[in-house]
Amino acid sequence: QVQIVESGGGLVHPGGSLRLSCAASGSSFSIYAMGWYRQAPGKPRELVASINDADNTNYRDSVNGRFTISRDHDNNTVYLQMNNLKPEDTAVYYCFVDSVYNYWGQGTQVTVSS
């Protein structure tokens, strides 16, 4: 049994910051990559950022320079520091874990509004 626990969403004003966390636990297994997708109502799910087992990172162009993804390998936890948030960042953010199987977090709402 693998449990994915995602947290850190909330309501912030434009220019504010949030830090998302996602922890995978419950089993011993190899993790190839972790990261986040996001989905706004009526729009397709899109990749936000990812980090692999070599700590190589990938960012969507619209968040590059504002978001930073990092990973704690010992605790199988990934973080997404989101700075200078914009209204267009509003979405449900879903953590993913790429392993032999793919796992998804329950989603956390990020709302950026004045």
Side-chain angles (χ1 to χ4, degrees):
Q1 184 71 31
V2 175
Q3 185 178 20
I4 309 297
V5 179
E6 182 180 350
S7 63
L11 173 64
V12 297
H13 296 296
S17 297
L18 287 171
R19 187 174 187 247
L20 306 183
S21 65
C22 176
S25 63
S27 297
S28 178
F29 60 99
S30 296
I31 297 177
Y32 308 140
M34 301 180 72
W36 274 272
Y37 283 75
R38 68 186 181 188
Q39 188 167 29
K43 296 184 178 180
R45 186 173 296 187
E46 61 184 24
L47 178 68
V48 179
S50 65
I51 183 168
N52 68 9
D53 56 0
D55 285 344
N56 295 317
T57 59
N58 185 51
Y59 296 94
R60 188 172 191 85
D61 286 345
S62 60
V63 309
N64 195 22
R66 299 186 295 120
F67 292 8
T68 302
I69 189 168
S70 60
R71 180 175 170 183
D72 181 345
H73 293 267
D74 292 336
N75 294 300
N76 293 135
T77 302
V78 65
Y79 304 93
L80 185 67
Q81 179 66 46
M82 304 185 294
N83 296 326
N84 192 24
L85 283 160
K86 302 177 179 180
E88 51 263 42
D89 296 317
T90 296
V92 177
Y93 285 68
Y94 295 93
C95 176
F96 76 87
V97 178
D98 181 18
S99 183
V100 175
Y101 302 98
N102 292 326
Y103 302 96
W104 292 89
Q106 79 281 4
T108 184
Q109 177 70 48
V110 172
T111 302
V112 185
S113 177
S114 60

